[in-house]
Amino acid sequence: MRFTRPAWLSHSGDKKDYEVYSCHVSPDGSRLATAGGDGHVRIWSVEAICNAHDPNYDKPKQLASMSYHSGTIHAVRFSHNGRYLASGADDKVVCIYTLDPNPPSHAATFGTNDAPPVENWRIFRRLIGHDNDVQDLAWAYDTSFLVSAGLDSKVVIWSAFTFERLKTIASHMSHVKGVTFDPANKYFATASDDRTIKIWRFYPPGPNSSAYDMMGNFILEKTIIPPFVASPLTTYFRRCSWSPDGNHIACANAVNGPVSSVAIVNRNLWDGDINLIGHEGPVEVCAFSPRLFSQHPINDSSQPGNLSTVIACAGQDKALSIWITSNPRPLIITQDLAVKAMTDLCWSPNGAHLFVTSLDGSIIVVSFKPGELGYEAPFAENEKSLAKYGVRRGVGVLEGPSSLVLEEMSRAGELRGVEGRMGALMGDGAPNHGPATNGTGPPLVNGSVAVPITNGVADLQVVEIPEEQHKKAQPTVDPNAAKLEKLKSRVTITQDGKKRIAPLLVSSSGAQESSLPRSRLMASSTSVSNDAPQTILDLSKPFDGLPPGGLQSLLLGNKRKLAAIEGDEDKRIEKRLALASKDGAVPILTNGADGLLPARNLAPQTGQQPTPEVLRPAIVNPNMAVSPLRLGVPKVRSHITRTLLTEGTSTAPAAMNGATDLEPPTNAATQTSVIFEARNPTRDREPCRVSVTKRGLPIWQDYLPRSVLLAVCTKSFWCVACEDASIYAWTPSGRRTVSAMVLESQPAILECLDQWVLCITAVGMCYVWDIITLKSPHPPISLAPIMDAAIHSMMDHPKPGPAISSARISSEGRIIVTLKSGDGYAYSPSMHVWQRISEPWWAVGSQYWNTTDSSIGNIGSSSDQASDGSILSKVSAGIIPFLERSTTGETLARGRAGFLQRLFKQLLSREGFEGFESSVSIAHLENRVAAALMLGAKDEFQVYLYMYAKRLGAEGLKAKVTELLSGLLGGIHEGEAGELKAEPLALTESDRNWANHSAFLCGWPRQELLKRVLILLGKNRELQRITVPYAHALGVADEGDASEDVMLP
C-alpha cells in the first residue's frame, strides 16, 4: 500500500490551493475528473498520476480544464458508458460535457498557469431545475437517466437521451446531500439532512420517454430512519455507496449510540444490524470498490469460493478507513491523512487505486499491491451476483461486420425517435397554421395538405384535395377565440381592493395544439384519427378512464392543480374541496385539459326516455330452476326503441331486396335517423307491434305474438328477442331473413356487430349467428367455465358468483365477456375453449400495464379506415385494450387494487422473488401476443410482438429469442456450408398459429416481422451470435443501409 500526493495534482489559484469537493474516474480508468472551489472541472491522466514518482515521465498530466460554472463545483461524475461527464455547483446548474474528437482550438486560459489542453471537452447541455446548490450527482448504470440532489430538498431526474427533466421529487424535508445507484439498476437511494435515507424503485426510461410517461415511475420503496435519528447536521455531504454485488448500502453519517459509524443496510428488507465503528468524527463519504475479491487466487479451473467486498470511509476526523467484509476489523485506519475534512472517495475500475479529495486542496492516491486487498474476481462474478436480482448488463463482443450493421440499424431507429422528440420540443415539428392561398388552414404542398403525425417523429403524410374543394376553401373560425379573449381581459380584485387584469400564460393563450408529441403509437400507415366518441361503440379507441400515470397515479394520488374557473376568483371551490378532503374523503373531480374540475351533475333527461316504463317481469322458464347458472332476465317494458344513424358519407347497406329505401342520398351532408320501435301489449292476448320509421314516415311494420325483451340493429338487419325465447331478424326493408329461432330459455344479453349476432340466455348459453349467411361459427357454448360454477356449486350454502359486466361480439364473430371480478375472456372456436386474456394479476404485477400507454392507444384506428370516409374500424383491433381497461376499472371499483399492490410489494422483498417482476412482465407480453394472434388483431399483434422482442433482448433470454426467431420464419433450413437459408413459404390463409407454413402470420408477412425483430435485437451484442445467421438468410446484414425507414415502437 502506497500513498502518493503529487504536488501538481491540485486546484491551485492565486497564491493558494482551492478546496477539492469531488473526484471520479472514467469507466476505462484513463481519466480522473476533479471539481473544486475555483469553479473548474479538471481532467487528469491516471497514468501520469500513477507515475508521479518517475522523474523521467514526460507525458501530459492535465488533459483539460472547463470553467462553465459561476461558483463552487460540488460534484463531478462520468456516465457509465463514458460518453458524458456531469458536474453540479452552487450556481444551481448541472453541466453536461462531451469529448470532441477534434483537437482543441484554443490554448490555455488567459491569466492562468494551466498547461494547454490535450483533449477537447465541450459543454453539451446546461440543466436548470434546482432552486439551490447542487450537492451530488449519480448516473443510472445503463446511462438512461441522471439524478441530481441539492440543498433545495429536491431530487431531479434528467433523461440521458434528451436531457429534459423527467421528474422532480420533493419528498425530503431538508437538504439532500447524497445519491447512489443500485448496480442491478432497479433502485437508487438519496440521503438527506432530515435524517432519513429514501429508497426509490424505478423502471429505466426509454429514448422517447417524457415527463408525462414518468408520472407513475420513481416510486418510494422505503424510508430508512433508525440509524440516523441522532446523526449530526454539520456534515457537508452524506455520500453513500452501493456494494457491487447489490446486497448492501453503506450509509454515511450514521450513529451507534454516542459514536459515529457507517450503517450497512441490507437489500430487500432495508434494515441492518452491522455498523462500522472506528471514526472519531462524522463520516461524510463511503465508497465500495467496484470489484469483488477472493482470499485465494482464481484460475480458470478453480472456483472463486466466498467473495468479499472492500469499502473505504472518510469524513471530518481527517482519517481514512478501509474495511473488508471477510474481516470484522478494519484493514487499515490512517489518522491525519489530510489537514482538513475529506470530501470524496473514488476507486479505479480495477480496484487497484483509491483517490481521496480534501478541503485542504489535496488529492491523494492510495495504491494497493496485488493480493493486498485480496485477489480480484473477474467481472463475470459481479454479473453472477447481480443475476438473482434480474439484471443483465455488459457490452459484449461483436461477432463480425454483419453484427455491426445490425447494431447501427437498430440504433438508427432509436436516434430518429430522439431527434424527432427534440425537434418537437423546440417547435420544429409543430403544425404551421400560417396563412394559405385561400384563407387560413394547414400548409399546402402542391395542392395537398401536409398533416403532421404526433409520434415524436417529424414525418408528413400528404392527403390529396379535390380541385373543387380547394377553390371553395373557407377561412376556419377558431371556437376558442372568444374564450381566450375573455381570459385575457379577466379583471381580478386584489387584497387591497384594487382591480387588476389577471395575466395569462403565453403557452396557454395560443389556440393551436401543443407541439409536444402525445404518448401515442400509430400504425405503419398512419393518418389523423378522431378521438371523439362515436354513436356506435368502437372498442379500438383509447379510453381515458384513468388519470395521467395510470393505475399508480390513481392509487397514490393525483397532484394536478385545479383549473382556473371563471367567476371563482376567491377560490371558493378549491377551499370547499380541501375542507371536504380533510377527513379522508376523496372529492370527485374531472380530469380536464387545463387541470382538475369539480364534477357536475348530469342534466335532466328530456324527451323520450331510453328505459321506458316496466310493465311486468318476464315469465321464468322452468329450465332455470335446475341450471347451474341463472342470469337475470330483462323485464318487459312498454316500448323499446333503437336508433340507427346513417350519414351521407357512409357506405350503402348490403344489397338486399328493397334496401334502397334505407339508403341515404348520395349528396346528403347531415345524419338521418332510422328509428326501430317495438311496442309491447299492455293487455293479454294482444300482439306486439314492430315498426321502422325514417324522418317520421313509416317504412315497414310487423307483428309478433309475444312481447319483445331486447332489440339490436345494424345497417344490414334488425333483430329482436322475445319473451318466449325466440329470435326474429329482418332485412332493412322488413323482410324476415330466417324463421323464428327458438332457444332453451329467455335471452339475457343481445349484441350485434356487422353481420354477427350474439345472444346469451338466462341459463348461461352463448349463441352466435351470421345473419347474412345464416350460419353459426360454433355450437352453443356455456358460460359455466368462466363463472366458477363448479367452485360455487360445491359450497355448503349458495354464494353468488362473479357477474357479467359486459358482453361483446368481435368483427370475426368472437365472443368477448368481462366479469365484475375484473377478468376478461374470449372464446376460441378453433380450440373450443374459453381463454382468459385479462386479469387483475397483470394489473399490479406487470410493468407494461397502463391504459394510457402508447403501446395500446390508437393502434388500429388509422390503418383500418376506408378511403371513402368510413369511421368504423375492426373491433378486434381494440379487444385487448378494452379488456384491460375493464380489468382496471373493476379492480378499482371493488377495492382490490390496494390489497394486490401490498401483496406485490411483499413478494418483491422476499428472498427468491428477485426476478418476480421481470418474469410477470414477460409473461404479460406473451399473453398479449397469444391473445392478439388468436383474435386476429393485426395491429395489436405487431405492436406487442415488437415490445416482446425488445424485452427479450434487454433481458438476454437466448432460448426464448431463438424460439421466437425460428417461430417467425419456420422455413429456414441449414445448408451444406452450415449457413441458414430461407425457403419459400406457401401463400395460405391459415396464419393464426406459429407452426403453420404460411407466408403470413396474423396478416403480416413473416419475413417483414422477422426483419424488424432482428433490427430491434441488433444492438444486443450477446444475442448477435443468434441473430446474425437469420440476418444473412434474409439479406438484412448484406444491405448495410442504416438509413432505411424502419418503424420501431
Side-chain angles (χ1 to χ4, degrees):
M1 185 182 302
R2 182 178 61 194
F3 294 85
T4 307
R5 182 183 176 180
W8 47 267
L9 188 60
S10 65
H11 285 244
S12 59
D14 297 334
K15 299 181 182 181
K16 76 168 187 176
D17 290 340
Y18 287 94
E19 302 88 348
V20 182
Y21 290 96
S22 182
C23 66
H24 200 246
V25 181
S26 61
D28 58 359
S30 62
R31 303 176 183 89
L32 172 68
T34 59
D38 58 349
H40 284 70
V41 174
R42 303 181 186 271
I43 300 179
W44 312 87
S45 171
V46 174
E47 181 183 357
I49 296 174
C50 297
N51 292 277
H53 62 280
D54 187 1
N56 298 324
Y57 188 84
D58 56 355
K59 293 183 179 180
K61 301 178 178 62
Q62 180 173 309
L63 303 179
S65 176
M66 296 88 74
S67 59
Y68 293 98
H69 287 283
S70 60
T72 301
I73 305 176
H74 296 149
V76 59
R77 296 290 183 264
F78 280 99
S79 63
H80 291 277
N81 59 4
R83 182 178 178 183
Y84 301 112
L85 174 66
S87 63
D90 60 5
D91 59 357
K92 313 172 190 177
V93 178
V94 177
C95 291
I96 307 296
Y97 312 91
T98 58
L99 178 60
D100 192 341
N102 299 320
S105 58
H106 60 280
T109 306
F110 180 77
T112 63
N113 296 325
D114 294 341
V118 179
E119 297 180 343
N120 189 10
W121 285 85
R122 294 180 177 273
I123 188 167
F124 183 68
R125 290 285 190 276
R126 287 173 58 88
L127 310 180
I128 301 175
H130 283 277
D131 300 328
N132 209 329
D133 300 3
V134 179
Q135 286 293 102
D136 204 5
L137 300 168
W139 293 87
Y141 271 81
D142 60 351
T143 319
S144 59
F145 64 97
L146 169 70
V147 176
S148 60
L151 298 184
D152 54 358
S153 307
K154 294 179 181 178
V155 178
V156 183
I157 291 94
W158 310 89
S159 171
F161 302 99
T162 60
F163 287 102
E164 62 175 303
R165 182 166 51 182
L166 296 179
K167 194 168 186 176
T168 300
I169 303 175
S171 297
H172 283 287
M173 305 304 294
S174 187
H175 311 321
V176 186
K177 296 183 176 180
V179 182
T180 183
F181 262 91
D182 169 25
N185 214 43
K186 290 190 174 183
Y187 303 97
F188 70 86
T190 56
S192 171
D193 271 353
D194 59 2
R195 295 188 171 98
T196 64
I197 285 185
K198 295 183 182 293
I199 310 296
W200 305 91
R201 167 180 285 272
F202 67 89
Y203 311 121
N208 294 324
S209 298
S210 63
Y212 177 84
D213 302 325
M214 295 294 105
M215 293 187 69
N217 203 350
F218 305 106
I219 303 171
L220 179 62
E221 182 76 11
K222 183 70 174 180
T223 299
I224 304 173
I225 299 177
F228 316 100
V229 175
S231 63
L233 303 178
T234 58
T235 58
Y236 205 76
F237 299 105
R238 290 176 180 257
R239 286 173 169 160
C240 305
S241 181
W242 213 302
S243 63
D245 57 0
N247 290 330
H248 308 287
I249 308 175
C251 304
N253 202 8
V255 292
N256 187 355
V259 183
S260 298
S261 67
V262 176
I264 305 299
V265 177
N266 298 322
R267 188 191 182 96
N268 292 334
L269 296 179
W270 311 117
D271 59 357
D273 52 358
I274 301 176
N275 289 275
L276 305 182
I277 301 175
H279 286 267
E280 298 177 356
V283 178
E284 293 197 20
V285 56
C286 305
F288 272 102
S289 172
R291 303 298 294 268
L292 298 176
F293 294 89
S294 175
Q295 297 180 357
H296 306 285
I298 300 176
N299 301 323
D300 296 338
S301 58
S302 62
Q303 296 294 332
N306 294 328
L307 300 178
S308 305
T309 56
V310 177
I311 181 175
C313 307
Q316 291 185 354
D317 60 350
K318 298 168 286 185
L320 172 69
S321 63
I322 299 177
W323 305 71
I324 302 179
T325 54
S326 60
N327 193 343
R329 295 182 177 273
L331 177 66
I332 183 176
I333 296 182
T334 60
Q335 300 289 341
D336 298 327
L337 185 62
V339 179
K340 295 183 180 181
M342 299 180 186
T343 55
D344 205 358
L345 300 172
C346 180
W347 291 85
S348 62
N350 58 3
H353 304 282
L354 174 65
F355 299 89
V356 186
T357 61
S358 173
L359 291 179
D360 61 1
S362 62
I363 303 174
I364 305 169
V365 185
V366 184
S367 302
F368 301 93
K369 297 179 181 180
E372 194 168 4
L373 298 176
Y375 297 93
E376 298 177 7
F379 271 112
E381 297 299 328
N382 291 41
E383 302 297 330
K384 290 180 181 179
S385 300
L386 297 174
K388 59 183 178 180
Y389 303 121
V391 72
R392 188 199 66 85
R393 289 199 321 272
V395 178
V397 181
L398 283 172
E399 297 292 335
S402 301
S403 304
L404 187 59
V405 171
L406 281 177
E407 186 172 342
E408 292 297 328
M409 295 176 69
S410 177
R411 297 190 184 279
E414 294 184 358
L415 183 61
R416 280 195 296 272
V418 174
E419 291 175 350
R421 174 156 184 79
M422 290 299 298
L425 289 173
M426 299 302 295
D428 299 339
N432 182 16
H433 296 283
T437 305
N438 296 323
T440 59
L444 297 178
V445 183
N446 297 330
S448 303
V449 179
V451 183
I453 301 173
T454 57
N455 191 25
V457 183
D459 295 336
L460 293 178
Q461 180 185 8
V462 178
V463 182
E464 295 294 335
I465 293 182
E467 188 67 24
E468 294 78 5
Q469 297 183 14
H470 179 66
K471 293 181 180 180
K472 297 180 181 179
Q474 298 295 331
T476 58
V477 179
D478 186 8
N480 297 323
K483 180 180 178 181
L484 291 175
E485 290 298 329
K486 290 182 180 180
L487 291 176
K488 291 179 180 179
S489 59
R490 186 176 59 183
V491 178
T492 59
I493 301 176
T494 60
Q495 294 181 355
D496 54 359
K498 297 182 180 180
K499 294 184 179 181
R500 293 290 184 268
I501 297 178
L504 181 66
L505 290 177
V506 176
S507 59
S508 62
S509 63
Q512 299 178 359
E513 189 177 0
S514 173
S515 62
L516 291 176
R518 298 177 181 177
S519 178
R520 181 178 302 167
L521 183 61
M522 307 298 291
S524 56
S525 57
T526 52
S527 64
V528 178
S529 60
N530 182 17
D531 290 337
Q534 308 296 337
T535 304
I536 299 178
L537 180 64
D538 186 3
L539 302 185
S540 65
K541 297 294 182 183
F543 176 71
D544 254 347
L546 290 181
L551 181 62
Q552 295 91 341
S553 176
L554 196 57
L555 293 175
L556 301 177
N558 195 334
K559 296 184 178 180
R560 294 193 67 190
K561 296 182 178 179
L562 287 172
I565 303 175
E566 294 188 39
D568 188 32
E569 288 78 9
D570 298 337
K571 297 184 178 181
R572 294 189 302 272
I573 297 179
E574 184 176 355
K575 294 178 181 178
R576 187 173 70 250
L577 293 175
L579 183 62
S581 59
K582 278 187 175 180
D583 299 331
V586 180
I588 301 177
L589 301 174
T590 304
N591 235 338
D594 301 327
L596 298 178
L597 296 172
R600 299 180 179 178
N601 296 328
L602 295 177
Q605 297 181 353
T606 58
Q608 184 178 0
Q609 301 298 323
T611 54
E613 178 185 358
V614 175
L615 296 179
R616 56 181 173 79
I619 301 175
V620 178
N621 195 306
N623 293 336
M624 298 182 61
V626 295
S627 174
L629 294 180
R630 283 176 284 182
L631 305 181
V633 179
K635 295 183 178 181
V636 180
R637 292 172 287 179
S638 60
H639 62 278
I640 301 173
T641 58
R642 292 292 180 266
T643 302
L644 178 65
L645 297 181
T646 59
E647 299 180 3
T649 57
S650 63
T651 58
M656 297 182 182
N657 297 335
T660 56
D661 295 338
L662 290 180
E663 293 182 3
T666 55
N667 296 327
T670 59
Q671 291 184 343
T672 303
S673 299
V674 180
I675 300 176
F676 174 88
E677 185 176 8
R679 290 190 171 273
N680 291 320
T682 57
R683 302 177 182 178
D684 295 338
R685 299 180 181 180
E686 289 186 3
C688 173
R689 183 166 61 90
V690 178
S691 62
V692 174
T693 59
K694 177 182 178 182
R695 296 174 182 169
L697 300 177
I699 296 178
W700 60 268
Q701 184 173 288
D702 200 350
Y703 294 91
L704 299 177
R706 304 293 300 190
S707 298
V708 173
L709 296 180
L710 301 168
V712 292
C713 62
T714 67
K715 294 182 179 180
S716 302
F717 63 87
W718 310 89
C719 186
V720 299
C722 295
E723 189 179 12
D724 59 349
S726 57
I727 308 293
Y728 296 87
W730 297 269
T731 63
S733 60
R735 177 176 58 88
R736 294 200 182 191
T737 59
V738 64
S739 302
M741 297 179 289
V742 182
L743 309 179
E744 77 283 347
S745 62
Q746 287 91 350
I749 298 174
L750 191 66
E751 292 289 338
C752 69
L753 180 67
D754 296 338
Q755 75 272 23
W756 300 100
V757 174
L758 166 65
C759 180
I760 300 179
T761 64
V763 296
M765 297 299 296
C766 302
Y767 295 83
V768 177
W769 304 290
D770 187 338
I771 298 299
I772 304 300
T773 61
L774 301 181
K775 293 182 179 179
S776 178
H778 51 76
I781 56 175
S782 175
L783 290 175
I786 66 175
M787 300 289 287
D788 298 336
I791 298 177
H792 294 282
S793 62
M794 297 180 63
M795 296 182 178
D796 297 336
H797 303 283
K799 183 179 179 181
I804 297 177
S805 58
S806 67
R808 297 286 188 270
I809 185 75
S810 72
S811 59
E812 294 188 349
R814 306 293 177 88
I815 306 175
I816 311 297
V817 177
T818 61
L819 304 182
K820 288 291 186 180
S821 60
D823 296 339
Y825 296 88
Y827 184 76
S828 174
S830 59
M831 300 184 67
H832 301 287
V833 70
W834 289 97
Q835 294 186 7
R836 182 165 52 240
I837 297 178
S838 177
E839 54 183 319
W841 174 257
W842 306 125
V844 292
S846 173
Q847 300 174 0
Y848 295 93
W849 188 277
N850 190 354
T851 56
T852 58
D853 188 17
S854 60
S855 61
I856 58 174
N858 271 356
I859 55 181
S861 60
S862 57
S863 60
D864 294 328
Q865 289 181 354
S867 59
D868 57 359
S870 174
I871 61 173
L872 296 180
S873 59
K874 294 182 180 179
V875 179
S876 60
I879 289 176
I880 300 177
F882 165 74
L883 293 178
E884 292 188 351
R885 291 193 296 267
S886 176
T887 299
T888 301
E890 295 296 343
T891 303
L892 295 175
R894 293 170 63 89
R896 298 179 58 192
F899 167 74
L900 291 175
Q901 270 210 340
R902 288 193 298 271
L903 176 63
F904 178 63
K905 285 189 175 182
Q906 291 176 2
L907 286 176
L908 289 179
S909 62
R910 293 182 183 177
E911 185 177 357
F913 288 88
E914 293 82 3
F916 171 79
E917 191 175 20
S918 176
S919 300
V920 173
S921 300
I922 293 177
H924 181 214
L925 288 179
E926 292 171 347
N927 183 77
R928 279 179 167 180
V929 172
L933 185 61
M934 186 271 293
L935 295 170
K938 179 180 177 182
D939 294 323
E940 286 177 279
F941 177 77
Q942 184 194 45
V943 172
Y944 296 150
L945 178 66
Y946 292 162
M947 293 171 62
Y948 179 59
K950 291 175 68 174
R951 185 56 184 259
L952 292 184
E955 296 289 342
L957 303 178
K958 297 182 179 180
K960 289 191 175 183
V961 169
T962 304
E963 189 177 50
L964 176 64
L965 296 179
S966 61
L968 283 175
L969 193 60
I972 287 186
H973 69 283
E974 187 174 352
E976 297 179 357
E979 298 181 355
L980 295 179
K981 297 182 179 180
E983 292 182 349
L985 299 177
L987 296 175
T988 60
E989 297 180 358
S990 57
D991 62 345
R992 296 297 178 84
N993 60 81
W994 297 88
N996 60 45
H997 293 281
S998 171
F1000 293 85
L1001 184 63
C1002 198
W1004 295 99
R1006 283 177 176 266
Q1007 293 193 2
E1008 178 183 348
L1009 293 176
L1010 180 57
K1011 178 180 178 181
R1012 297 190 177 182
V1013 168
L1014 288 174
I1015 293 176
L1016 288 173
L1017 297 174
K1019 65 179 180 180
N1020 301 285
R1021 294 187 178 180
E1022 293 81 0
L1023 303 174
Q1024 288 178 352
R1025 184 168 296 180
I1026 303 173
T1027 58
V1028 168
Y1030 287 89
H1032 280 302
L1034 293 178
V1036 177
D1038 299 335
E1039 296 175 2
D1041 185 8
S1043 64
E1044 181 185 0
D1045 289 337
V1046 178
M1047 175 198 149
L1048 299 176

